[in-house]
């Protein structure tokens, strides 16, 4: 039998809601998602939460825990003081569907707007060859589990709903960087797209996205800053500009 702890959970939908207090059993080794499941089983059967793998790999149980964007399944209850009230609220940047479940379709829309990998002409699948260093570079970005915590925390859209149409967000800047750095991607316009269509210029390098990434991807240092530099080089360096015209890269 574990100890009783204070838990506070946001209940409601997009039009109204409030925080609800619970006293709930917590056992050694449990994570916040375990406690939410216990609440569903014992006190609040209609409490809505999205989850899937409970292993930090599906990116479903994103929520805000004591105001910080976290994965419910990767946040141990032992990280809080026994007397502390743990407050769980939905992601703030996306509309609430119910309780802890938000509508993250903004991200799917931004994903659709980004053109996929374009294979080089005359090279069949299975014939792709690239240096190990290039494989490793994109491997870091491909660890993304699409939890959208980085999208949720970025102030450009968290505090400015009006920026959403013009700003793709950190998750899609790493995707753009991954493709732009891919030696076999045949598209030559990814840098221009990052500026003109994804709004990478709105990012002022606050690095909040990097801080919350559960996969520890260096979103800002390894993707956003290099992508900004590449875009600037392409636009304002006359040699790079000329090279891009001649070599189409
Ligand atoms: Fe936002 Fe990350 Fe830039 S949090 S402002 S995209 S460094």
């Amino acid at each position: 039998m574990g100890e009783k702890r204070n838990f506070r959970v946001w209940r409601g939908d997009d039009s109204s809601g409030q925080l609800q207090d619970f006293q709930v059993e917590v056992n050694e080794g449990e994570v916040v998602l375990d406690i939410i499941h216990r609440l569903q089983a014992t006190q609040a059967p209609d409490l809505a939460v999205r989850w899937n793998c409970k292993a930090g790999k599906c990116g479903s149980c994103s929520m805000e825990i004591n105001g910080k964007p976290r994965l419910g399944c990767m946040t141990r209850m032992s990280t809080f003081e026994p007397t502390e009230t743990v407050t769980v609220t939905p992601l703030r940047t996306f509309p609430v569907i119910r309780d802890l479940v938000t509508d993250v379709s903004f991200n799917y829309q931004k994903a659709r707007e980004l053109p996929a990998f374009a294979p080089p002409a005359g090279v069949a699948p299975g014939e792709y060859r690239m240096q190990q260093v290039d494989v490793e570079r994109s491997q870091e970005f491909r660890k993304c589990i699409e939890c959208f915590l980085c999208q949720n925390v970025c102030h450009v859209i968290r505090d400015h709903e009006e920026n959403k149409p013009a700003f793709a967000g950190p998750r899609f800047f790493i995707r753009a960087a991954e493709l732009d750095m891919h030696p076999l991607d045949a598209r030559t316009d990814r840098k221009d797209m990052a500026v003109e269509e994804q709004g990478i210029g709105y990012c002022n390098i606050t690095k909040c996205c990097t801080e919350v990434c559960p996969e520890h991807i260096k979103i800002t240092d390894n993707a956003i800053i290099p992508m900004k530099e590449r875009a600037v080089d392409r636009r304002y360096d006359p040699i790079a500009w000329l090279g891009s015209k001649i070599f189409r890269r």
Side-chain angles (χ1 to χ4, degrees):
M1 185 74 181
E3 53 178 348
K4 290 274 185 195
R5 301 270 286 264
N6 294 324
F7 224 69
R8 188 172 282 164
V9 184
W10 196 89
R11 310 290 312 270
D13 57 27
D14 214 18
S15 55
S16 67
Q18 73 281 320
L19 291 163
Q20 189 177 349
D21 286 306
F22 297 96
Q23 278 247 313
V24 58
E25 183 188 325
V26 174
N27 300 296
E28 196 178 344
E30 287 184 331
V31 294
V32 168
L33 187 59
D34 287 319
I35 309 309
I36 291 169
H37 286 161
R38 181 161 300 121
L39 287 176
Q40 286 179 321
T42 58
Q43 303 182 47
D46 59 342
L47 170 59
V49 62
R50 186 185 281 129
W51 69 286
N52 216 309
C53 74
K54 206 173 169 284
K57 288 294 160 208
C58 74
S60 302
C61 64
S62 300
M63 54 188 73
E64 301 201 359
I65 303 171
N66 287 354
K68 293 207 176 94
R70 309 283 301 263
L71 294 180
C73 74
M74 298 304 283
T75 307
R76 288 189 173 272
M77 287 302 294
S78 58
T79 56
F80 306 104
E81 294 297 327
T83 53
E84 194 177 349
T85 298
V86 176
T87 302
V88 185
T89 49
L91 298 180
R92 212 180 82 185
T93 301
F94 310 114
V96 174
I97 296 174
R98 194 155 69 84
D99 302 338
L100 301 175
V101 177
T102 52
D103 175 0
V104 292
S105 55
F106 163 82
N107 302 289
Y108 305 135
Q109 180 58 37
K110 295 295 170 183
R112 276 193 290 272
E113 290 168 10
L114 190 63
F117 171 73
V123 187
E127 292 174 355
Y128 297 172
R129 297 289 178 268
M130 54 200 273
Q131 298 284 324
Q132 186 61 26
V133 65
D134 291 322
V135 174
E136 280 158 16
R137 190 183 294 122
S138 62
Q139 199 61 32
E140 180 189 7
F141 303 142
R142 293 183 73 90
K143 285 192 305 181
C144 173
I145 58 170
E146 298 211 301
C147 61
F148 304 129
L149 292 181
C150 62
Q151 300 286 92
N152 174 62
V153 81
C154 178
H155 72 103
V156 175
I157 46 177
R158 186 179 176 93
D159 300 331
H160 300 278
E161 182 71 24
E162 70 281 9
N163 285 341
K164 280 186 175 171
F167 187 74
R171 190 277 168 263
F172 300 102
F173 298 149
I174 64 170
R175 178 75 178 136
E178 177 201 331
L179 291 167
D180 195 52
M181 295 175 191
H182 196 304
L184 297 177
D185 181 60
R187 288 197 78 108
T188 58
D189 55 354
R190 299 209 184 266
K191 299 171 202 45
D192 292 335
M193 277 187 333
V195 175
E196 288 157 18
E197 288 164 37
Q198 293 189 295
I200 200 169
Y202 282 76
C203 162
N204 54 350
I205 324 272
T206 57
K207 300 199 181 188
C208 309
C209 50
T210 303
E211 245 172 69
V212 299
C213 177
E215 286 292 321
H216 309 292
I217 301 170
K218 294 201 170 65
I219 300 173
T220 325
D221 287 352
N222 290 353
I224 297 178
I225 293 174
M227 203 58 186
K228 278 173 174 277
E229 287 172 350
R230 284 167 167 237
V232 167
D233 282 354
R234 181 175 171 85
R235 291 178 156 231
Y236 302 113
D237 178 339
I239 308 280
W241 179 83
L242 193 63
S244 75
K245 295 289 164 207
I246 297 170
F247 301 111
R248 306 205 36 80
R249 282 298 288 179

